[in-house]
Each structure stands twice: as structure tokens, then as C-alpha cells.
Amino acid sequence: MNEIEMGVKMAKHKQNPEKQYLSFRNQYAQTENFQQLATIFKDDEMNAILGTFTFTLFENAGMNPKQWTVADIEEAMGAVFYAFSTHMTQASHDELQGAWRDMYIPLNDFVIFLVNTVATTLKHSEITDMLQRVEVAYGVGEQGYGDQNEPVDFDIIKAPEYGDDYTADEVFDKRFFGPGVTTEWHDYIAADIDKYVTAWVSTFFDSQEWQSVSKMTTQENASRYIKEMTRAAYDEYHRTPKNWTIAVIKAVLTDHFVHQFIIQPAQYQEIGPVLEAFFSFAKRAGYLRSVNADRTIKAIKEVEETMVVAGQNRQKYSETKKMWLDAASAGIDKRDRKETEAFIGAWVENQQARRAGESRSYERDLVYFNDGDYLTMPHDQSTGQLHWTKAVATRTHGDLSRYAWYLWSLPENQDLHEQINEADFVDFITFFGDAMYAQFLETPKRWQPDDVRIIWSGYDPTSDPESFALLRESLKRLVTYLDTEGKLAKQLGPEIKAVFDGAQLKPKKKSNVVSLADAKKRLDKK
């Protein structure tokens, strides 16, 4: 098995992709990590892994590393997993998983090597997030070998993020950070910073400056505040404590600390005093030059109040931060992996449904969409002065879908999640509303109680009593919401709601909806 057999066929380039790959591989072969891996993996195995990745990357993103994106690298890594699965069709799930775990070791190391040597324009923090996504998606990396009941690491599991939802209060342009900015992120520098800051913090807790900090602040929290600041300043702005600028300090505290740092709102009051005490200590101990320490303390004091106020505003938090704070509020025990994963699954489902319901960006594959037969179900071409149109049918179906998604995400409707899934809930609501438009050309704003009763009477409560009860409850919550939001005709809300509160009535006109089973058939439910 070689890279040609497992790789992706490439279009012809003016440059030679095989030579470029060999150039990267030969450079990588000089590293200590490669030489250790070469004692474990055969040469053709290494070529199969590294070649599949590289040729896929060339095909999708070109041969210029400066033009590669994190998404390009993630897609190329996925191609390696796919290639292995297609060549191990007879393998069991456990055997395939084991092969994935093994081949991920050189793949991961090769990706990091390329990022540190040729694809240096990529942000290390984004690469780290991407690698964590890959590890979770394919069950590889250290977590792939772990006990399923081990605690869940905050840094591993993240919620879907949307950059357009958050804007920093102040924009600090990196071009104005002054001289000394390192254009490339280096892991050895990050490791060195972490090492000496950890040593400083350990000594700090024995100092007179620490004694001046409120006894309500724990050493664990204080250590987190200090290390988060030093790590973020380097990861995001490539600045070490010895060459920080005022702009960097302010950006970390008012942007990163508010947006991404996972702490409770009340903890923001502790950060300023801890950091000011720590840098006063670092100055006195000679760890930092006086001018640097004084500049840092001055910047902290200038933005401390801004940071505290912003830290109380949930709308400024990243989605991941919201998720983990909600987990803490719900009393989720991170030591219970199953409980934690169940919470995350439900949280993301609600997040996506809420965003879809509010017409914001969302992940289409994480939200159920009923494509249904609203355009083909039997309908009247006209009723009075109203005429059926494809545009209105489509808009009505879309509105109903958004109402259903939004309702599904609300805290007060979480009790339904234990009895029904999102797909059935959306189907119940959209099919009923589609039938109202098909038979009476009525959008929710035009619904009439008698017509609602006619459609409702078409459902047979005896065919599936349990589903019928859930259908009734779903529609009751829909109508209550529509009435509250003024999306029903004025003063008709109570009368429409009464249709679903009472027993089945025999209307004068027959409904086109025969039964709940028929409704599901029309939707081609699996």
C-alpha cells in the first residue's frame, strides 16, 4: 500500500507535486520525532499517511503553503481517515478505530511540522482547535485511548462558533502594537513562557503582594487568571511578558477574557486585584523590568472596570463559554462523561434550533428540516379573492419551520424533549400549517377557528393515542406562542386555542387530513 494507491488523484500543476511532497517529507525526516516514528512505521506506511494528506492538500488548496487555510488542512486530514476506511472494508469497527488511532500519530506530528515550518501564516490557536475537532470526530489522539468515564476537558469540546455574532468593544489593530512582534508562533516559546510563569506564580503565593489580595480569591483561580493572560497574549498577539504593549494587555482583558475565558461573571471582580498584585511582585522580585511591570499595571487599571462590566454581559460570550457556564449552572458533573456528553448534545441541539428559528447562521446538518410535500399536497386554487401560490406556500412552510425550531429550543419546552424528538415536533407543526394553507389558503395570521377545527378533526385520536396527545400538546404550544407574539388574527387566539383544549368535534366540512399516520406518510418519514 503506497501513497498513489491511497491518495487522491491530482490535476496537473506547473510545479511537480511529487517533488514538492518529497521535499516536505525529506525535511520532516530530519526531525527527531520522525526518526522515532520510523522505528514504528514502515516507510510505505508513512508514505501512505503523509502522501495522502499532502496530495489532497495540494489538490484542494494548491502548493503554496501561504495560501492554505485551517479548513484545507482539516479536510486533507479527513481524507486520510477516509482512505484507510476504504482499504479496510473487511475490518471490524474496533480494528478500524485502532488503525485510525495509530496512523493519527505521524499525521498529527506532520501537520504540526508543516505549520511550524512552511504554513507559518496560520494561527496556532486555530490549528489547535482544529486538531481537537479531528480527535473528537474520529476518536483518536490521547482521548481516543481514554476511559469513557474520564472527566471532559473544557479545551477539547467546543460549541459551534459564529464570528459575526461577537464584536469586541475595542479593535486593537496588530499593526500598531509596536516593534518586537513575532510573526510566527513557536511552541518552544509558548512552553518556555508557561514554565517560567508557573515558577513565578508558585513564588507569588508566598509573597506580601499575595497577602494583600482578598482571602475570598483562591490560589487556583488566581493562577488561572495569570496564566490565561500570559498564554492569550502570546497565542493571539505573539507577545511575551517582557515585550507586552498597552494595546495587547487591553485587548486580552477586554476581548479574550470576556469572550472566551470560561469563568463565572462574579469572578471578573477578582481579576484586576490579582493581576496588579502579581505584576507588582514580579517587579519587586526582578522578574520584569520596572518599566514593563508599571506599564502592565497601568493598563490593567485603565480597563479593569470595562472588563468587569463586559464580563456580566452574556451576549459577549462565545458559544463555547455559554455552553460550559450553562453546564455548571445545571450541576453537570464533568467526572461523569455520559452525563456531560448528553448535556452537550442537548445544548448544541437547542443552540442550533434557536439560531435557525431566529434566522441566524446555523449548521444545516444539525437542524431537522422538513422538506415535506407542502407544494404537492392537494390544495384549492382559490378561495374567494385568495389564490394559491407557490411563493406563499413556501414562505408559510418556512415561517412554520422557524416557529417550530424556536419553540423547540425554549427552556419551557424542554419537557417535550423526553417524549418526542425534534423531527416529529417540526413535522407536527409544519404539516398542520401547510394543510391550513392548502385547504383554506390561510397563513397563521389568517387562521379562522372553524377552519382550524376542520383540519384538526382530520386526525384520528384512536390510531396512535400517545402520538396524538403529543401532537395536541405541540400545536397548543404553537398557538400560544403565535397568540402571544401577535401572529394570529386579533382576538381569535383564545378561540383557536380552545380547539385543541376540547374534545374532537364533527365539523360541517370534511378535512383533507385523514389521520396522523396519513400525515406522516405524506411527509415520507423514514
Side-chain angles (χ1 to χ4, degrees):
M1 179 165 45
N2 55 48
E3 73 272 19
I4 302 302
E5 294 172 336
M6 297 189 64
V8 177
K9 291 184 178 180
M10 298 187 59
K12 295 296 183 182
H13 293 278
K14 292 182 180 179
Q15 294 176 287
N16 188 313
E18 286 78 11
K19 287 185 177 180
Q20 183 77 307
Y21 162 64
L22 289 175
S23 174
F24 290 160
R25 187 188 183 285
N26 290 338
Q27 292 177 56
Y28 178 51
Q30 303 304 311
T31 66
E32 182 179 348
N33 284 359
F34 177 90
Q35 293 167 16
Q36 291 178 351
L37 290 170
T39 65
I40 303 173
F41 295 88
K42 297 178 180 178
D43 193 58
D44 62 340
E45 291 175 332
M46 290 289 278
N47 273 330
I49 297 166
L50 308 186
T52 299
F53 168 79
T54 307
F55 291 139
T56 302
L57 188 58
F58 287 168
E59 172 70 14
N60 295 340
M63 297 172 61
N64 183 355
K66 303 299 182 184
Q67 296 178 350
W68 296 346
T69 68
V70 175
D72 294 330
I73 292 178
E74 185 171 4
E75 185 174 356
M77 293 183 77
V80 182
F81 290 104
Y82 176 76
F84 266 69
S85 64
T86 58
H87 281 74
M88 297 181 65
T89 55
Q90 303 301 316
S92 67
H93 171 77
D94 289 343
E95 289 172 337
L96 178 60
Q97 194 68 50
W100 279 359
R101 290 169 182 161
D102 290 344
M103 68 87 173
Y104 179 70
I105 297 172
L107 176 62
N108 171 275
D109 195 63
F110 186 56
V111 167
I112 294 174
F113 165 78
L114 291 177
V115 170
N116 285 335
T117 57
V118 295
T120 55
T121 58
L122 298 175
K123 289 185 65 174
H124 181 269
S125 58
E126 293 179 0
I127 290 292
T128 299
D129 289 345
M130 179 275 291
L131 292 175
Q132 290 168 352
R133 287 196 300 272
V134 169
E135 291 177 4
V136 171
Y138 295 99
V140 295
E142 292 183 8
Q143 63 88 30
Y145 295 92
D147 184 347
Q148 290 302 301
N149 276 325
E150 289 181 353
V152 177
D153 188 342
F154 276 140
D155 295 330
I156 291 179
I157 300 181
K158 298 181 182 295
E161 297 287 355
Y162 302 90
D164 57 344
D165 286 352
Y166 175 80
T167 302
D169 290 327
E170 298 181 64
V171 177
F172 297 93
D173 193 321
K174 294 182 183 180
R175 291 175 298 177
F176 300 112
F177 285 172
V181 174
T182 304
T183 57
E184 299 178 8
W185 186 97
H186 295 287
D187 54 0
Y188 72 89
I189 295 179
D192 186 50
I193 293 172
D194 193 60
K195 182 178 179 180
Y196 66 68
V197 169
T198 298
W200 293 359
V201 169
S202 177
T203 309
F204 169 57
F205 291 135
D206 294 325
S207 71
Q208 62 192 37
E209 287 83 4
W210 169 247
Q211 298 305 315
S212 68
V213 176
S214 169
K215 302 305 179 185
M216 299 296 291
T217 303
T218 66
Q219 289 189 9
E220 180 182 4
N221 283 342
S223 179
R224 284 190 67 204
Y225 306 152
I226 296 166
K227 291 181 179 179
E228 188 73 18
M229 181 174 181
T230 55
R231 288 169 179 165
Y234 183 66
D235 282 349
E236 297 187 16
Y237 305 104
H238 301 179
R239 287 284 191 169
T240 72
K242 298 178 180 180
N243 67 3
W244 282 346
T245 64
I246 291 177
V248 168
I249 297 166
K250 290 182 176 180
V252 169
L253 294 179
T254 61
D255 186 349
H256 176 87
F257 265 54
V258 174
H259 185 45
Q260 299 182 56
F261 192 23
I262 303 172
I263 58 175
Q264 294 294 334
Q267 290 181 256
Y268 283 94
Q269 296 281 357
E270 300 179 343
I271 294 173
V274 167
L275 295 180
E276 290 162 22
F278 175 74
F279 288 106
S280 294
F281 156 76
K283 171 185 174 180
R284 182 177 61 81
Y287 295 141
L288 291 177
R289 294 171 54 205
S290 295
V291 63
N292 290 348
D294 290 342
R295 180 173 56 203
T296 299
I297 294 170
K298 180 176 182 291
I300 293 169
K301 289 182 176 179
E302 287 178 354
V303 298
E304 181 179 355
E305 183 177 353
T306 299
M307 175 192 66
V308 171
V309 172
Q312 313 309 305
N313 186 350
R314 181 182 171 90
Q315 296 305 312
K316 295 182 180 294
Y317 299 168
S318 69
E319 296 297 293
T320 299
K321 180 172 180 175
K322 292 175 185 175
M323 180 180 74
W324 284 114
L325 289 180
D326 288 347
S329 298
I332 299 300
D333 184 353
K334 289 199 303 172
R335 293 171 298 181
D336 187 329
R337 190 178 185 91
K338 290 183 178 179
E339 179 186 42
T340 306
E341 290 179 342
F343 174 85
I344 292 170
W347 193 95
V348 172
E349 179 179 295
N350 286 326
Q351 173 213 34
Q352 293 298 306
R354 181 68 173 258
R355 296 182 66 87
E358 294 176 341
S359 298
R360 294 190 288 160
S361 301
Y362 68 97
E363 308 300 318
R364 181 63 184 266
D365 59 341
L366 297 181
V367 174
Y368 173 76
F369 186 81
N370 171 7
D371 289 318
D373 58 356
Y374 64 95
L375 294 178
T376 59
M377 65 169 53
H379 58 264
D380 292 336
Q381 287 297 332
S382 61
T383 299
Q385 295 182 340
L386 299 176
H387 301 277
W388 187 94
T389 67
K390 179 179 179 180
V392 175
T394 301
R395 186 189 68 201
T396 299
H397 184 79
D399 288 344
L400 290 163
S401 297
R402 283 185 286 275
Y403 299 154
W405 293 327
Y406 179 77
L407 287 170
W408 184 251
S409 73
L410 295 180
E412 56 266 32
N413 292 329
Q414 296 305 296
D415 59 318
L416 289 176
H417 290 215
E418 299 177 3
Q419 308 171 68
I420 189 175
N421 60 39
E422 180 183 346
D424 284 336
F425 183 77
V426 174
D427 284 350
F428 285 157
I429 288 175
T430 55
F431 186 83
F432 187 89
D434 291 339
M436 283 292 296
Y437 182 69
Q439 189 158 344
F440 300 108
L441 305 185
E442 292 175 5
T443 62
K445 192 70 174 179
R446 293 178 176 272
W447 282 359
Q448 296 299 309
D450 287 343
D451 298 334
V452 170
R453 187 174 290 108
I454 290 170
I455 297 297
W456 178 233
S457 69
Y459 292 90
D460 181 4
T462 64
S463 63
D464 188 341
E466 184 177 352
S467 291
F468 181 82
L470 290 169
L471 167 66
R472 180 201 293 271
E473 185 60 31
S474 299
L475 293 176
K476 284 172 64 175
R477 298 194 189 195
L478 168 67
V479 173
T480 298
Y481 166 73
L482 294 177
D483 187 37
T484 301
E485 296 296 315
K487 299 180 185 296
L488 294 175
K490 289 184 178 180
Q491 301 179 343
L492 291 182
E495 193 173 349
I496 293 175
K497 283 191 284 186
V499 172
F500 303 107
D501 288 332
Q504 290 297 96
L505 300 177
K506 294 183 178 180
K508 297 178 182 179
K509 185 177 179 180
K510 186 178 179 181
S511 167
N512 287 335
V513 181
V514 178
S515 66
L516 180 59
D518 179 64
K520 290 187 175 182
K521 287 179 182 177
R522 295 188 187 193
L523 290 168
D524 294 324
K525 284 182 64 63
K526 295 181 179 179

